[in-house]
Every structure is written in structure tokens, then in C-alpha cells.
Amino acid sequence: MSIPEPSPLPLAPAPAAPPRSWLRRRLLDPLLDLLKAGLTPSQLALTVALGAAVGVVPLLGVTTVLSAAVALRLRLNVAAMQLVTHLMTFFQLALLIPLLRAGARLLGQGAQVEHLTLPALRQLIEHEGWQAIGKLLWRAELGALLLWAVACVPLVAVIYFVLRVVFRRVLAKQDVGAG
């Protein structure tokens, strides 16, 4: 009489990977793919830094063309810069009114736009047309662009130097994992 062998226990399925977040799928994975595709950490860091700066320009409707022009001129990745630029839209809209107010104060028109809000702008457009906006905001817009240009220099520098280190470490980890 032989002892029956116990039947092997079924192997438990491997735990499923947690679902990837929107941020991971839409921002981190594409940037990491660019590192794998041959973009150097310095190039990618500069692309992201300039994309972030262009993405908050206080002039609606120019970010796409401006970011493409900058990327082409500096021989950076246009798609990566467009991605970062468009991800900055929320910040562009959030900073628009404060920058216009500060720009107006800078160029001596602060009292006219002190209580500027998006509903007030919408009402002005409906009642008086776009020409009224142009007359009211041309100095504010010029001042906002000057403030943006001055603020972008340290913004780009900080983002560039931080991300260059981060991307180098990520690339080093990928090389160690692959080797």
C-alpha cells in the first residue's frame, strides 16, 4: 500500500500591479521614454524647464507656437516641450490675472485694473467688444510679459539644475537594472 502523494497546491497568481496614476501615465512615463530614446538628461531637463516657463506666459493663445519655436531653435524635443507646456495651462490661467494686475501697477495703470476679474473681463467683452480689452489691458499685458520674462530666468535655472540631477539618477538606475 503506497501513500498517495499530495496534489500540488495551485500557485497563487502574482499580485496585480497597482493601476498607474494619471500623472504617471501622462507625464512620467513619456518623459522616461524620452530618456530611453536617446535624449540626454541635460536635454530633457532643459526641455522641461523651458516648457514650464513657456507654459505660464501671460498671453493666451501663444504657448503652442512659442514652445514649438523654442524647441526647434534649440534642437530640443518638440513633443516633450509641448507636453510640459500644455500641462502648465492650469498655472497659466491661475497666474494670468495676478500678473496682469502686477504688470499694470508696474507700468502705471494699476488703478484701472485693480479689481480685474474674469467675470468682469467677460462682461466688458460682451458690452464693449475686444477693442475695449485691448485699450484697457495693453499696458497691463506688457508689464505682465516683462514680469514673466524676469521671473522665468531663475525658474528655468532651478528646474533645469534639479531635473538634470534627477534624470541622471533615473538613467543610472535604468542602466544598472538593464545590465
Side-chain angles (χ1 to χ4, degrees):
M1 194 159 139
S2 70
I3 301 175
E5 280 189 38
S7 61
L9 295 173
L11 295 175
R20 296 181 321 173
S21 68
W22 180 91
L23 182 66
R24 173 108 183 153
R25 284 187 327 243
R26 299 286 184 215
L27 179 65
L28 296 177
D29 287 345
L31 291 177
L32 293 177
D33 289 343
L34 289 170
L35 276 176
K36 293 176 195 173
L39 213 59
T40 67
S42 294
Q43 288 173 319
L44 186 56
L46 185 60
T47 300
V48 172
L50 290 172
V54 170
V56 295
V57 67
L59 185 60
L60 296 176
V62 301
T63 55
T64 300
V65 173
L66 185 59
S67 67
V70 168
L72 290 171
R73 177 68 177 110
L74 298 177
R75 298 181 189 268
L76 299 172
N77 189 294
V78 177
M81 189 170 293
Q82 292 288 323
L83 171 69
V84 174
T85 298
H86 289 286
L87 287 172
M88 298 300 293
T89 300
F90 169 79
F91 299 103
Q92 179 189 28
L93 294 174
L95 292 171
L96 182 62
I97 298 295
L99 279 172
L100 286 173
R101 286 179 182 164
R105 271 186 250 119
L106 179 69
L107 297 182
Q109 192 186 18
Q112 294 175 336
V113 294
E114 185 175 333
H115 302 291
L116 184 65
T117 62
L118 287 177
L121 282 176
R122 188 177 311 129
Q123 183 179 11
L124 185 63
I125 292 169
E126 288 173 2
H127 293 345
E128 298 184 37
W130 284 97
Q131 297 83 8
I133 295 292
K135 289 177 185 174
L136 174 67
L137 294 181
W138 76 270
R139 275 189 175 172
E141 186 64 50
L142 182 61
L145 287 170
L146 289 171
L147 291 171
W148 168 79
V150 169
C152 280
V153 173
L155 173 74
V156 168
V158 167
I159 293 173
Y160 171 73
F161 287 113
V162 168
L163 287 182
R164 190 174 65 168
V165 170
V166 169
F167 291 147
R168 282 183 182 163
R169 287 184 182 167
V170 168
L171 193 59
K173 282 183 183 179
Q174 287 179 348
D175 288 344
V176 168

